[in-house]
Amino acid sequence: MMNYRTLVINPGSTSTKIAIFEDTHLLAQQEINYLPADLAHFVDLMDQKDFRIKSIVDFMNKHDFDFQSIDAFVGRGGLMRAIPGGTYTIDTQMISDLTKGLFGIHAANLGAIIADYFGEMYQRPAFVVDPVVVDEFDPVAYLSGYKDWDRRSVFHALNQKAVARQALKQIGKSYENANLIVAHMGGGISVGAHKLGRVVDVNNGLDGDGTYSPNRTGSVSAISLVDYIYDQAPKKSEVVKLITHEGGLKSYLGTDDLKTIEKEIDQGDEYSRLIFDGMVYQIAKEIGKQATVLMGQVDLIVLTGGMARSGRLVKALTQRVDWIAPVTVIPGQMEMQALNLGAQRVLQQIEQPKNYVKEAEELANGRSI
């Protein structure tokens, strides 16, 4: 079996993560962090493309890698049309959707755009894997309570699916033949019900659904939000910022740094303890909700994301949910490895790459029935 080399590109709002893999072996990696001043003069996200490309070229030169040695370029999938999970060949329609921001603006949009740039330049395939818009919902999961406001599947799909596969491998089960619940706990929190290889339901932590997190509100009273908008008359962008960046722990405690909050708890701050316990309580409720989606047939619960490094949080959460199923902890995230593995499965002909337009249209047509 051939060993294929991939260049993995994962843009964040203030950083670009880069890694080179050969088969499953990591050869080099770097997280390039940008100062606010580095990005301040760019009018919009797409203007950052050349700047970030230069960062990647510098990385390749620093580590003495030739672009010609790369077999495939893999970018983090951004906000695009809803599609099922899998590895997708980057095409012109995907690039157009991401460039125009038709389905939202996020730094991850640049992942596919930059991977496509290098793929075109060096005549190599370019892929995205399990973007945040992965949609594998059961029909009933779309219903929200108002006919024009369908629930959206937007979550940490890449890491959720990767840790699910890893955790199940440890107990001798395959992802396609097991049921599990994965709680990704970072700046945002998503808790997904994985049923026989599909994420059939998950809260949309980006839009304000589910538990509060370090800096997101989660679900709040709709009437309270309406009152706030009418009383304060804020701009739309201000409301979005409140929901996605100013809520949760930050709203209650003035900081979204979990380590700082845990120190305050250790020093006897009972209010900090209450707010911390409230977040644990809400995460546990989300896990319980997804257990009902799986009708109690749960092989495993996986806790992942940056907050899974907190022993206090993991212990408190496990005490609330381990009656549902055994709990496995995979802290941090496997995004770079997952992007590589998705590309490797295609390069090694284990899977066929999916077509973005075809899969998006089939999903949309299926929902309209």
Side-chain angles (χ1 to χ4, degrees), residues 159-271:
N159 190 55
Q160 282 217 20
K161 283 180 170 281
V163 299
R165 291 178 187 275
Q166 178 175 317
L168 288 167
K169 186 177 181 180
Q170 294 171 1
I171 61 172
K173 288 181 175 286
S174 71
Y175 181 56
E176 291 72 22
N177 292 290
N179 293 342
L180 70 163
I181 298 167
V182 181
H184 180 112
M185 304 176 296
I189 297 173
S190 62
V191 181
H194 297 239
K195 180 180 180 180
L196 305 178
R198 295 169 50 238
V199 184
V200 296
D201 201 349
V202 65
N203 70 293
N204 180 345
L206 179 66
D207 286 356
D209 178 28
T211 173
Y212 68 76
S213 74
N215 54 33
R216 298 179 188 175
T217 63
S219 300
V220 295
S221 161
I223 297 300
S224 295
L225 187 58
V226 169
D227 288 343
Y228 169 79
I229 291 171
Y230 274 84
D231 291 344
Q232 304 296 324
K235 296 179 181 177
K236 178 181 177 180
S237 60
E238 293 172 339
V239 178
V240 171
K241 184 178 179 181
L242 183 151
I243 292 169
T244 61
H245 290 86
E246 303 294 337
L249 300 180
K250 189 173 183 180
S251 171
Y252 286 110
L253 301 173
T255 179
D256 56 7
D257 184 75
L258 192 61
K259 290 182 179 179
T260 299
I261 293 167
E262 291 193 76
K263 287 180 181 177
E264 292 172 348
I265 294 172
D266 290 337
Q267 293 168 2
D269 188 328
E270 291 303 318
Y271 184 65

Side-chain angles (χ1 to χ4, degrees), residues 298-340:
V298 184
D299 294 296
L300 203 61
I301 296 169
V302 183
L303 307 181
T304 187
M307 287 200 294
R309 296 189 178 97
S310 166
R312 175 185 267 111
L313 186 145
V314 167
K315 180 180 179 181
L317 189 52
T318 300
Q319 288 174 342
R320 284 189 173 274
V321 302
D322 64 355
W323 59 272
I324 298 172
V327 176
T328 294
V329 182
I330 302 178
Q333 51 193 11
M334 294 178 56
E335 290 179 346
M336 306 304 279
Q337 297 95 319
L339 289 167
N340 171 60

Side-chain angles (χ1 to χ4, degrees), residues 97-130:
D97 289 350
L98 291 168
T99 301
K100 294 175 182 177
L102 294 182
F103 302 91
I105 302 295
H106 191 281
N109 290 19
L110 286 168
I113 292 168
I114 294 173
D116 180 67
Y117 168 86
F118 285 119
E120 288 288 328
M121 178 171 289
Y122 295 101
Q123 293 300 293
R124 300 288 192 273
F127 305 113
V128 297
V129 181
D130 289 333

